[in-house]
Structures are given as C-alpha cells and as structure tokens.
Amino acid sequence: MQSSFCFWNDASNPIHPASAVDYMPRPQLQAMQLHRLQVTVRRAYQQVVRFRDRMDAAGIKPEDIRGLADLARVPFTVKHDLRDTYPYGLCASPLSDIVRLHASSGTTGKPIVVAYTANDLAVWQQVIIRTLAAAGVHRGDILQNAYGYGLFTGGMGLHYGAEAMGCTVIPISGGNTDRQLMLMRDLGVTAISCTPSYFLHLLDEAEKSGLDFRKEFKVRVGIFGAEPWTEEMRRRIQDLSGIHASDIYGLSEIIGPGVAGECLHQTGLHIFEDHFYPEIINPDTLEVLPDGQVGELVLTTLSKEAMPMIRYRTRDLSQLVAEPCPCGRTLRRLKRISARSDDMLIIRGVNVFPSQIETALLSIRLASPHYLIVVDRKDNLDTLEVQIELTAETFSDDIRTLETLHKRIGQAIYEITGVHAQITLVKPHTLPRSEGKLNRVRDNRRRA
Ligand code: DLL
C-alpha cells in the first residue's frame, strides 16, 4: 500500500515521507523506543556526571534497563538540574560537536541553556515536518512564522522544518502587527505560526483596520502553541477567522516545538514517540499513572545527543490517550495541556486554574477573548477580579445588556470554579497584548 514517496491517509491527503513512522505498528515502535532508550541511558551515564551520581545513588545501572517499564526506576531530572549545572553541565557531547544553543528566559537569574548537535537539528526538522503535515500544511504553503526568532526555540525551530518541507517561509518573528497584516495579505499567506494569543491580537487589529479576515486573507491553517489555551479559545479563533487552528506542543529542555502536534481530527496531540518517551506521573507520590489519568507529563528524549533529558518533569498537566485515532497514526496522544502545575491559583482555599476561567468566559458568545485575571489580598482575604474587554459590538450596547453580560460572566465563572469573581468590563483594546507568550494572570499576592 505504501510506496516511498506517495501514499495516502484516511483523509486522502498525501502523507509526507517523514510521517511514515507515525503509522508504525506499536510493537515495532516499542522495540525502537527500547533500543534508543538503552543507548541514551548508557550515553548519559558515561558522559553526564550528575546523571551518573543520581543513578549510582539509586543503585541502578544502565544494564538494568531491560524493558520500557524499567524506566520507572530511573531518577527524575528537574529544571533545577539545568540551572545548577549551567551552562554545559548536562551536555553529553563535546562542545566541538554542538552546533546550536538556545536559551529560555528564566524569571530570575540565569537562563536555561539547551544544546544541539547537527543530528539533533536534523531530528528537530523531521518532527516539525511531521507536526506541520499532521496539521494539514504541505509543500507550497506560504507560512508566516511569527514565533520569536533568536534564543527562543519557536522561531528557528518552526523555520527549518517548514523550509525542509518545501513551504515558502516568511521569517517575520513576533511584533509589528501592521506589517504582519500587510504581508499576510499581500504575499497570500496560507499558514501562520504564532502563539494563539498573538493570533487573536492579529485578528483584532485586522478588524480595527476594517479588514474582513475571511474575505481578504488566504490563511487556512494556524500552528498555535507555546502557551496554554483552551478548547473554547480554539473554537473562538476558528469562528472568528475561518481557519483550522492546530495545537503544537514542546519545550526547550526537550527540543523546542515539535514534541507533539495535532492531526486534522483535533483529538489530542500525537507525541513523536520515536524521539520522546512520555509518562504521566502523580506529582505528589511520583508514581507512574496509567493512560487516561491526569497528572504531570514526564519526558525522556530517545535520540537527543547534545543534551539528553531523562525523565524530565515538565510541570505540564495532561493525560495520555492510547485509543486509536481516526487518522491512523499509531502514536499516543496528549490531551491538550491547559495548565502547568505551578499555574494553579489558590483563592480563599479553592484551587483555580486560569484555563477554567477562560472556559467559563468563552462559553458566553458575547464575551471577548481578551481578559486579565487579577488576584490580590485585601484585609487578609484573597480577591479575584476578571477584567474583560468589551467588543466593538458590545461596547455600544445599552446599560441593561451590559448588566446582563456582566452577570452571566460572573455566574459562569462561579459555576466552573466555585469562586465569586469581581467582573470588570473594560473598553476594547485596553488590556495588555503580547507578541509571544501572554501572561493573563497578575497575582499581586506574590509581590507582597
Ligand atoms: O514554548 C516551545 C514552543 C514554541 C512550543 C512554539 C510550541 C510552539 P518554552 O519556552 O521552553 O518552549 O516553553 C515551554 O510552554 O512547558 C508549556 O508549559 C508551554 N507550552 C508549550 N506549548 C504549549 C501548548 C516553547 N501547545 C512551555 N499548550 C511548556 C500549552 C504549552 N502549553
């Protein structure tokens, strides 16, 4: 059925040759994973002092990894390990073999530096091609890449994969929204990659300039990630723009974008399991959870040379889906990552995730997707305020309609979170926007 350059999936889309492995029978995939895991653990044990010390302390040797389940005995790696060994302490390759460095900005102190060999870059290209192909992007597409270029992995990561796929790439990076819109229209852009919040901003600015996105632009697909977004936000983006909004996941420590991506069925993000081995753990007990249970995602790189990551605790909350996907890919899926464990807000003793507020808000058609969550403490009591922009449509509504909107938003948030929030409707275009990752939470308690 499959020839090397032209075979077809269920939707009669040609399958890119790089994606063939997405359809590999699972026993074959697992054999490949085990072999790669053994090689990676052996290499890290030989080359990375911190890893070897941890393994020795746990009484485990690389030879003890006889099956994939044995990975559960190996110690975890956490973000602090990268900070403590800054900049090159976790490298398993000599500096002379490292051809690229990226860094993720830390909130305090030094950034986290991640390294790539030429082979690592080739793998990165391949997983981006597979991500783009799964999302329906193909050779000939004109891709406007509005992820930031530079030390952030988004820009260059997407760039080289898209180019290798045969897309025409516009390396515009983030920001300069007017120019983004002008080029998007003039150059006939068919695919865009950026954070979902930046795409919302682009839509907003297009509307402000009197441009009808559906009529005046040719964009068909969006490759959105790098920040949490909800299913409701996806629907809102798709309704406003008419494009297919696809989720892409990744993190610098593992490779950057391209760890997992959605297919056209949007039933979760297929993990490129031949390169990244996923586990879900209970973050309190650290035990590995079965597929289908929600917990913290832990990733092990299976082919990374420069900086192998073994059982890296991502802090991202998700669950693994093993049921077959209609697209035919045999790769397990990650449910959309809507939160990080450290994103949780505790308000008057109640656990609230920002994604719950987004879900509540966007369940109301007239509520705008531009919002800000402000948490504070007054008289020893936590307060939660949700500021929501009015849309051009609601701004001119009469006071009674606005009162109803105000009440409905408050109710929806209470129903989902169990917390009463103060709702503040603000003028259109007044809340902060971002060219990259948008932080929609201002927790003033943390500053006190
Ligand atoms: O954000 C890599 C990336 C670039 C992913 C472009 C997708 C597109 P970091 O800056 O290291 O790398 O941030 C990684 O961002 O641990 C998640 O918390 C969050 N994140 C990334 N993608 C998603 C997503 C890049 N699709 C951190 N949904 C991760 C939710 C995401 N959160």
Side-chain angles (χ1 to χ4, degrees), residues 147 152-153 226-228 247-252 316 337 340 437:
Y147 283 116
F152 177 52
T153 53
E227 64 184 13
D247 198 356
I248 176 174
Y249 169 76
L251 62 164
S252 319
D316 293 324
I337 286 156
R340 289 176 60 78
K437 295 173 191 266

Side-chain angles (χ1 to χ4, degrees), residues 342-346 375-377 439 441-448:
D342 31 18
D343 277 349
M344 192 176 76
L345 299 164
I346 304 182
V375 185
D376 216 329
R377 181 166 290 139
N439 186 2
V441 180
R442 197 165 291 160
D443 191 343
N444 296 329
R445 299 173 304 180
R446 287 181 189 152
R447 287 196 213 133

Side-chain angles (χ1 to χ4, degrees), residues 147 194-200 221-238 243-249 262 266 269 335-340 343 354-356 358-359 362 371 438 440:
Y147 283 116
C194 59
T195 57
S197 59
Y198 188 57
F199 185 65
L200 265 183
V221 191
I223 308 295
F224 300 133
E227 64 184 13
W229 56 311
T230 58
E231 200 49 45
E232 289 71 22
M233 185 62 91
R234 185 222 300 278
R235 253 179 263 136
R236 187 61 72 91
I237 286 177
Q238 293 191 154
I243 73 168
H244 175 87
S246 203
D247 198 356
I248 176 174
Y249 169 76
E262 280 183 321
Q266 299 184 329
L269 294 87
K335 275 269 184 216
R336 155 193 299 287
I337 286 156
S338 55
R340 289 176 60 78
D343 277 349
S355 57
Q356 293 178 300
E358 183 172 297
T359 298
L362 296 184
Y371 69 93
L438 177 60
R440 288 194 172 91

Side-chain angles (χ1 to χ4, degrees), residues 309-349:
M309 280 291 144
I310 295 167
R311 303 201 84 204
Y312 184 71
R313 290 188 60 181
T314 65
R315 303 274 166 194
D316 293 324
L317 300 177
S318 185
Q319 69 195 88
L320 288 170
V321 183
E323 284 84 53
C325 179
C327 74
R329 284 177 178 77
T330 50
L331 305 169
R332 279 180 296 172
R333 282 160 284 160
L334 264 186
K335 275 269 184 216
R336 155 193 299 287
I337 286 156
S338 55
R340 289 176 60 78
S341 52
D342 31 18
D343 277 349
M344 192 176 76
L345 299 164
I346 304 182
I347 298 176
R348 300 190 286 270

